[in-house]
Amino acid sequence: MPAVIPADSVGLVTPQTVHVDTPLTLECKRVLPAYDLVYETYGVLNDVRDNAVLICHALSGHHHAAGYHSMDDSKPGWWDECIGPGKVIDTNKFFVVALNNLGGCHGSTGPASINPENGHNWGPDFPLVTVKDWVQVQARLADHLDIEQWAAVVGGSLGGMQVLQWSVDYPERLRNAVVIASAPKLSAQNIAFNEVARQSILTDPDFYGGRFYQHDTYPRRGLILARMVGHITYLSDEAMKQKFGRDLRSGQFMYGFDVEFQVESYLRHQGETFSRNFDANTYLLMTKALDYFDPAREYDNDLAKTLARAKCRFLVVSFTTDWRFSPERSREIVNALIHEGKDVCYAEIDAPQGHDSFLLSIPRYVDVFGSYMKHIKVGNTHAS
Amino acid sequence: MPAVIPADSVGLVTPQTVHVDTPLTLECKRVLPAYDLVYETYGVLNDVRDNAVLICHALSGHHHAAGYHSMDDSKPGWWDECIGPGKVIDTNKFFVVALNNLGGCHGSTGPASINPENGHNWGPDFPLVTVKDWVQVQARLADHLDIEQWAAVVGGSLGGMQVLQWSVDYPERLRNAVVIASAPKLSAQNIAFNEVARQSILTDPDFYGGRFYQHDTYPRRGLILARMVGHITYLSDEAMKQKFGRDLRSGQFMYGFDVEFQVESYLRHQGETFSRNFDANTYLLMTKALDYFDPAREYDNDLAKTLARAKCRFLVVSFTTDWRFSPERSREIVNALIHEGKDVCYAEIDAPQGHDSFLLSIPRYVDVFGSYMKHIKVGNTHAS
């Protein structure tokens, strides 16, 4: 717990919920009559309402991006390294909005929510939502907050995909797009890893076809495996080597199947913790949203033609040892933007930590990202 | 089925079994009083018995490395691309020996075998054997065949590790060591992938703590997952892209969890097929043998000092897109050998297929490997 909240923290924050009852037509053609969105805001919206920044979260993220919910919290929000007074996304300047995406499991309507039609958890009946759907929903949240145009939409990994989709679907509604450690679509290998994660969950006998809520259980083993395999792809080989090497827990081989190497212990712990806090149906839905993401599909499979619609400036950032979404994938985005004469900055950050780098305060990353955010012009009158 | 057996095939082959009743003390200190080894041979041992080549298999391999068991076989042995008359490992010149390692599930004594002490399958009571143990057993097979010295010991991946161990443990008993797509020890990332595979099996309710034989079932789901995750690491990102890309089975998104992308279909098929033909306890044992392999551990963690014991010539081969055991890992071996002034050839083959390259007839690979094998001197009198 934070005995004292650090000076550069946004401090204690309280999630808010908006109930949207305008029916939402999803890409899969199904219609959701109403839904809740949980979100947090940090900083103050200025009089001209032009200093709002939207944070789009990745697979396991949510609305709690910065600060603390109570003095008992042992950890701040997931992107606290980057969001706060004087930080990269400076809450003295920006009004930051972070939400839990539709289909999530942290307060927004999702598979674990009650389906009003039958009083049961939605489970597998919850529609598969896509990145495009999320962006549509985020635009509804912007409407609710009376934000006509975001100063920036920002996200890493799956979050970066939402940023790209914003620039294409609502070109007038953002001035800057910050796309970090992302890709214009998944590779076959990316899909393959997702499929392993899905099969882990789907074949767990405790999954009950997604209706585990009624059986008062959850697919713990499947979620652990899914997270373990995911986690391997978040770290670089080098980062794992530095963190664990081939260190043995007991110093000698045990010739059995209990934990022997530190890396096994770490992975099992990550999996265990995750399985207790994440809904299996949401996990499945998130991996499908990743697989489906391919904005160029609507534009003759031509990424340049797709991004030609964008009107904002772009910052694209990648990390050298990220093998989940390698720098090459970011360069595909950058090259398409350059082809269309768009205003784009690109930084490839030399970092050993792999995909997870985007969550960390790596000096060069902080410099590049911070400098970009500093140059975003916003009206200087604050709401009282 | 081969309507006609190809001219460059070793033809129809019959496995042989040797029962060894000299007690075997394993690295884990346990003693196996007796065991069976199944093996095949191709070609003819010459009068001076100096033309024998030992093939060491990888994780899912076995003794059936070349030729056909019957005219009904749809496929030849697993390394038929490289073993046969006029092929890289030329059976007109060499007497080739391939065995199923101890702990395997294709005929040699392993966890699925009956433990004579109680009449049940060994299951989890079968000792965890190591690469060093395998090499000791292979030396017993050489004794049985009256082969004092191998012209070459050859292997890819986990097989290459056995080759390295041969050069260290029995320096007088081989003249050439061919180490392909291998590593001097696993990285933390390699161990992490193995751990996911193990947990898939260990947590499958049908595993029954390894005693699934008595329950007349097997951990099908766990084996499928283990193979799926393994298979991803055998192929390069590039190979997957070329093979499947983002091709959809039906041409459109289905918004469900049935197979949509071709790569999912491929992986599930690989997993299904494998699960029907492989023993789960053997899979666990094999992954542990991989994790434990670290010959330098006996020699102050100094690989050069370890390989200083070797007296044979070496051919080390790696493949550019192999990310399971990258060229960098082969270079560690080569550098240690050079440091000790050993006779070593090294080839890094430019190939898009990833780790699985070692099983394929890639022209440059065939040239390098074939040329090396051609230069091995053997007596030219054949046994009648």
Side-chain angles (χ1 to χ4, degrees):
Chain A
M1 102 183 88
V4 179
I5 286 182
D8 63 352
S9 167
V10 298
L12 288 174
V13 293
T14 308
Q16 296 172 260
T17 300
V18 54
H19 178 74
V20 185
D21 54 14
T22 316
L24 178 75
T25 304
L26 299 162
E27 267 206 280
C28 65
K29 311 281 189 224
R30 288 174 60 188
V31 178
L32 213 54
Y35 53 92
D36 287 339
L37 291 176
V38 63
Y39 65 98
E40 290 182 4
T41 69
Y42 321 114
V44 182
L45 186 61
N46 65 13
D47 290 343
V48 290
R49 313 184 85 78
D50 72 352
N51 71 332
V53 170
L54 175 69
I55 308 295
C56 303
H57 70 75
L59 203 150
S60 59
H62 42 64
H63 58 288
H64 185 38
Y68 300 84
H69 283 161
S70 86
M71 293 303 289
D72 295 334
D73 282 1
S74 60
K75 278 187 192 171
W78 61 269
W79 216 7
D80 198 81
E81 298 256 15
C82 282
I83 303 168
K87 291 186 185 170
V88 167
I89 302 172
D90 188 350
T91 49
N92 289 329
K93 174 181 181 179
F94 294 112
F95 174 66
V96 178
V97 179
L99 83 161
N100 184 213
N101 277 326
L102 185 69
C105 53
H106 291 89
S108 292
T109 300
S113 307
I114 300 299
N115 179 354
E117 281 187 24
N118 58 24
H120 291 303
N121 309 76
W122 281 92
D125 300 329
F126 195 82
L128 284 190
V129 295
T130 65
V131 168
K132 196 180 174 72
D133 294 329
W134 282 333
V135 168
Q136 194 194 164
V137 167
Q138 289 160 4
R140 294 296 80 76
L141 178 63
D143 296 343
H144 167 76
L145 296 170
D146 201 10
I147 294 164
E148 179 51 36
Q149 186 185 60
W150 299 101
V153 180
V154 178
S157 191
L158 175 55
M161 295 173 176
Q162 294 157 55
V163 178
L164 277 180
Q165 194 74 52
W166 261 99
S167 76
V168 175
D169 288 357
Y170 299 96
E172 312 287 352
R173 297 195 71 173
L174 71 164
R175 298 200 299 284
N176 293 275
V178 181
V179 180
I180 309 168
S182 196
K185 62 184 175 193
L186 293 203
S187 69
Q189 190 187 71
N190 294 145
I191 295 173
F193 277 118
N194 280 344
E195 174 64 1
V196 171
R198 276 192 294 270
Q199 288 298 316
S200 302
I201 293 169
L202 292 166
T203 66
D204 185 326
D206 287 328
F207 182 62
Y208 289 102
R211 303 196 194 279
F212 50 89
Y213 318 97
Q214 283 98 301
H215 296 264
D216 203 22
T217 184
Y218 67 102
R220 180 175 162 272
R221 289 165 297 210
L223 271 166
I224 290 176
L225 286 172
R227 184 60 170 182
M228 283 173 78
V229 74
H231 214 85
I232 297 176
T233 71
Y234 305 151
L235 297 180
S236 67
D237 192 12
E238 186 55 31
M240 280 203 166
K241 188 175 169 182
Q242 286 179 11
K243 246 178 153 148
F244 317 106
R246 292 178 47 87
D247 292 348
L248 293 163
R249 278 241 287 211
S250 71
Q252 58 184 14
F253 293 155
M254 305 304 292
Y255 300 104
F257 298 111
D258 287 338
V259 162
E260 294 205 74
F261 293 95
Q262 293 292 3
V263 64
E264 297 172 300
S265 165
Y266 172 79
L267 276 186
R268 287 195 204 176
H269 174 75
Q270 291 290 330
E272 290 272 359
T273 308
F274 185 77
S275 76
R276 286 193 296 270
N277 299 299
F278 211 85
D279 179 76
N281 286 308
T282 289
Y283 199 89
L284 293 174
L285 175 154
M286 293 275 174
T287 63
K288 280 308 251 191
L290 274 163
D291 287 5
Y292 287 149
F293 180 69
D294 184 7
R297 218 162 164 265
E298 281 189 84
Y299 303 94
D300 304 328
N301 292 309
D302 181 339
L303 186 62
K305 192 173 162 187
T306 313
L307 291 172
R309 298 173 54 84
K311 298 193 169 175
C312 58
R313 295 177 66 222
F314 285 83
L315 170 64
V316 179
V317 181
S318 70
F319 300 93
T320 48
T321 58
D322 182 352
W323 63 281
R324 184 175 173 90
F325 298 137
S326 72
E328 199 189 336
R329 309 309 310 280
S330 283
R331 273 184 250 122
E332 290 173 36
I333 299 168
V334 172
N335 290 339
L337 289 167
I338 289 172
H339 185 270
E340 296 302 317
K342 302 296 176 190
D343 186 342
V344 54
C345 300
Y346 173 56
E348 194 167 310
I349 307 292
D350 202 344
Q353 295 94 338
H355 187 60
D356 268 358
S357 298
F358 86 87
L359 295 167
L360 309 173
S361 295
I362 296 162
R364 179 89 184 136
Y365 170 45
V366 168
D367 284 352
V368 168
F369 188 5
S371 163
Y372 186 91
M373 296 303 290
K374 216 164 252 143
H375 284 89
I376 294 177
K377 288 198 181 66
V378 299
N380 54 11
T381 52
H382 271 186
S384 61
Chain B
M1 101 182 93
V4 179
I5 285 182
D8 63 352
S9 168
V10 298
L12 288 175
V13 293
T14 307
Q16 296 172 262
T17 300
V18 54
H19 178 75
V20 185
D21 53 14
T22 315
L24 178 75
T25 303
L26 299 162
E27 266 205 280
C28 65
K29 313 281 188 222
R30 288 174 59 187
V31 178
L32 213 55
Y35 54 94
D36 287 340
L37 291 176
V38 62
Y39 65 98
E40 289 182 3
T41 70
Y42 322 114
V44 182
L45 186 61
N46 64 13
D47 290 344
V48 290
R49 312 183 87 79
D50 72 351
N51 70 331
V53 170
L54 175 68
I55 308 295
C56 302
H57 70 74
L59 203 151
S60 60
H62 42 64
H63 57 288
H64 185 38
Y68 299 84
H69 283 162
S70 87
M71 292 304 287
D72 295 334
D73 281 0
S74 60
K75 278 188 192 171
W78 61 269
W79 216 7
D80 197 82
E81 297 257 15
C82 283
I83 303 168
K87 291 186 185 171
V88 167
I89 301 172
D90 187 350
T91 49
N92 289 330
K93 174 182 180 178
F94 294 112
F95 174 66
V96 179
V97 179
L99 83 160
N100 184 213
N101 277 326
L102 185 68
C105 53
H106 291 89
S108 292
T109 300
S113 307
I114 299 299
N115 179 353
E117 281 186 24
N118 58 23
H120 291 302
N121 308 78
W122 281 91
D125 300 329
F126 196 82
L128 284 189
V129 295
T130 65
V131 168
K132 196 179 174 74
D133 294 328
W134 282 333
V135 167
Q136 193 193 165
V137 167
Q138 288 159 4
R140 293 297 81 75
L141 177 64
D143 296 343
H144 167 74
L145 296 170
D146 201 10
I147 294 164
E148 178 52 35
Q149 185 185 61
W150 300 101
V153 180
V154 178
S157 191
L158 174 56
M161 294 173 178
Q162 294 158 55
V163 178
L164 277 180
Q165 194 75 52
W166 261 99
S167 76
V168 175
D169 288 356
Y170 299 97
E172 311 286 352
R173 296 195 71 173
L174 70 164
R175 299 200 298 285
N176 293 275
V178 181
V179 180
I180 309 168
S182 195
K185 62 184 174 192
L186 294 203
S187 69
Q189 190 187 70
N190 295 145
I191 295 172
F193 277 118
N194 280 345
E195 174 64 1
V196 171
R198 276 191 295 269
Q199 288 299 315
S200 302
I201 293 169
L202 292 166
T203 65
D204 185 326
D206 287 329
F207 182 62
Y208 289 102
R211 303 197 193 279
F212 50 89
Y213 318 97
Q214 283 98 302
H215 296 264
D216 204 22
T217 185
Y218 68 102
R220 181 175 162 272
R221 290 165 297 210
L223 271 167
I224 290 175
L225 286 173
R227 184 60 169 182
M228 283 173 78
V229 75
H231 214 85
I232 297 176
T233 70
Y234 305 152
L235 297 180
S236 67
D237 192 13
E238 186 56 31
M240 280 203 165
K241 187 175 170 183
Q242 287 179 11
K243 247 178 153 148
F244 316 106
R246 292 178 47 87
D247 292 348
L248 293 164
R249 278 240 289 210
S250 70
Q252 58 185 12
F253 292 155
M254 305 304 290
Y255 300 103
F257 297 112
D258 287 339
V259 163
E260 293 205 75
F261 292 96
Q262 293 293 3
V263 64
E264 296 172 301
S265 165
Y266 172 79
L267 276 187
R268 287 196 205 176
H269 174 74
Q270 291 290 331
E272 290 272 0
T273 308
F274 185 76
S275 75
R276 285 193 296 271
N277 298 299
F278 211 86
D279 178 77
N281 286 309
T282 289
Y283 198 89
L284 293 175
L285 174 154
M286 292 274 175
T287 64
K288 281 308 250 190
L290 274 162
D291 287 3
Y292 288 149
F293 180 68
D294 183 8
R297 217 162 165 262
E298 281 188 86
Y299 302 95
D300 304 327
N301 292 308
D302 180 339
L303 185 62
K305 191 173 163 188
T306 313
L307 292 172
R309 297 175 54 86
K311 298 193 169 174
C312 59
R313 295 177 65 222
F314 284 83
L315 170 64
V316 179
V317 181
S318 70
F319 300 92
T320 48
T321 58
D322 182 352
W323 63 279
R324 185 175 173 89
F325 298 138
S326 72
E328 199 189 336
R329 309 309 311 278
S330 283
R331 272 183 252 124
E332 290 173 37
I333 299 168
V334 172
N335 290 339
L337 289 167
I338 289 172
H339 185 269
E340 295 301 317
K342 302 296 174 188
D343 187 341
V344 54
C345 300
Y346 173 56
E348 195 168 309
I349 307 292
D350 202 344
Q353 296 95 337
H355 187 61
D356 268 359
S357 298
F358 86 87
L359 295 167
L360 309 173
S361 293
I362 296 162
R364 179 87 185 138
Y365 170 46
V366 168
D367 284 353
V368 168
F369 188 5
S371 162
Y372 186 92
M373 295 303 290
K374 215 164 253 143
H375 284 90
I376 294 177
K377 289 198 180 66
V378 300
N380 54 11
T381 52
H382 271 185
S384 60

